[in-house]
Each structure stands twice: as C-alpha cells, then as structure tokens.
Amino acid sequence: THPERRLIKALDGEHRQQMQECRTQGRQPPFACVHETMPFWHSREKPCDIESGFYVCPDCTFSVCLNCAELKGKNKVLSFLATKAHEWRDSSLLLGAVIIALIEAVYVPILKNATMVLVCHRDFQCVFPGCYEDPTAAFVAAVVLSAAMLFVVGVLVPVFIAVLLLRRKRLIVQHVFGEGEAAEQM
C-alpha cells in the first residue's frame, strides 16, 4: 500500500488491544494477513495466523502474518506459481474467446461440405463420379470422414457447449442463492 514504507513488527500490546476491542464490539479486526485472500493460501502447510504475530504498515492496517513472512522452499515456489496462475486467469478468458470464434468460423463450412459429400452433391460428382453406384476407396473414405465430422461437429460440439453453459448457470445460481436454494432454482 505504501511502497516507500517498510513493514514493522506489530507491537504486542497496542495492536492486540485494537483487535480485542473490535472483537468485543462485534466488528471485524482491522488486521488480517493479506495472503488469506490469495489463491495459494490453502495449499500451504501452515495457514495464516495473525494471532501468533504479524508485520504491519505504520500508516495503515496492511499486515502480513509471521507464517507468510517466513515462507521457505516448497511453499515459496507454490505461492509464486499459484500467484502467477491467479494473474494469468484473465488470459484464459481470451483463450476461450479465441476457441469460440474458431468453432464459429469452421462450424458451417464443415457441416456444409460433409453434408454435400454424403448426399453426393453435384459439386462432388466430378471428383467422385458414380458416387454410391460405383464407390471408389477415396469416396468411401470421404463418406466415412464426412459422417464422423457431422457427428463430432454437428452433434458433440453443441452438446459440449450446452453442458458448459448449464454448468456455468448452475455455478452462478449457487453463488447467488446459495447451495440449498440453487437445487430448487434448477
């Protein structure tokens, strides 16, 4: 919060008294380890513990517990990787948009060409003369691949997208209404 300031070790009496006053008044204490909201917090061996001591900014309530201030070895690597994954989660939105755009771009042409091969459209009669009357190995391969593409792109892709959308809707409803009410809403 104040990059030019160094964190100081919390004074036992003064800071603990502020925390105790907040608890007796039913309020949230002003000091909480900033790492409790980070994605790597749950993967650590020792969780945040502000009660055992902490460092605090002299000008505000920014604080870090002693467990987090003394990360070593594996936990330091895990916290770095989890923080990077947390930072890169927005790039997954971009990747998802690119994948959806790619599916939209190839969906109609694939289905159109696969259907044209299966029904022996006149555009393919020059390539496969006789079509089903005198099938060649190339025509049989084209028919099999066309049928597979019709099934994969024409059936499985829409089902996959529908499942993703339903799963997302369920998560949103669970987030908004809570676990018990979410089942009733679906």
Side-chain angles (χ1 to χ4, degrees):
T1 58
H2 302 285
E4 67 279 353
R5 298 271 188 194
R6 293 184 62 94
L7 296 178
I8 59 169
K9 191 158 187 161
L11 304 173
D12 289 336
E14 180 183 339
H15 293 99
R16 289 193 192 284
Q17 181 181 356
Q18 287 179 354
M19 290 175 66
Q20 191 60 32
E21 287 173 6
C22 288
R23 286 195 183 103
T24 56
Q25 295 171 0
R27 295 181 308 168
Q28 190 73 4
F31 306 105
C33 183
V34 296
H35 293 123
E36 286 182 0
T37 59
M38 296 298 195
F40 66 85
W41 179 64
H42 301 288
S43 66
R44 295 189 25 238
E45 293 169 7
K46 295 193 311 188
C48 293
D49 180 19
I50 204 88
E51 297 296 327
S52 66
F54 57 96
Y55 291 96
V56 65
C57 175
D59 297 328
C60 67
T61 59
F62 180 88
S63 49
V64 176
C65 74
L66 293 178
N67 290 343
C68 293
E70 299 169 356
L71 284 178
K72 292 187 177 100
K74 180 180 89 170
N75 285 329
K76 192 174 274 194
V77 171
L78 284 176
S79 68
F80 174 79
L81 293 175
T83 303
K84 288 301 174 192
H86 184 70
E87 290 171 0
W88 294 335
R89 77 176 191 277
D90 292 337
S91 64
S92 67
L93 297 175
L94 177 63
L95 177 64
V98 167
I99 290 172
I100 294 296
L102 181 66
I103 289 172
E104 288 177 353
V106 300
Y107 185 78
V108 172
I110 287 176
L111 290 182
K112 178 182 159 200
N113 285 335
T115 305
M116 288 171 63
V117 168
L118 282 176
V119 299
C120 195
H121 190 267
R122 67 177 180 266
D123 290 348
F124 288 101
Q125 287 180 359
C126 292
V127 179
F128 304 116
C131 289
Y132 291 102
E133 294 171 8
D134 186 23
T136 62
F139 179 69
V140 172
V143 167
V144 169
L145 290 175
S146 295
M149 290 310 293
L150 275 175
F151 180 73
V152 169
V153 176
V155 176
L156 292 184
V157 168
V159 167
F160 174 72
I161 292 173
V163 167
L164 286 179
L165 290 174
L166 287 173
R167 188 179 300 162
R168 184 168 190 267
K169 180 182 178 190
R170 184 180 307 124
L171 288 174
I172 290 171
V173 169
Q174 285 175 350
H175 179 72
V176 171
F177 294 108
E179 288 290 327
E181 297 174 27
E184 298 169 9
Q185 298 293 327
M186 296 299 290

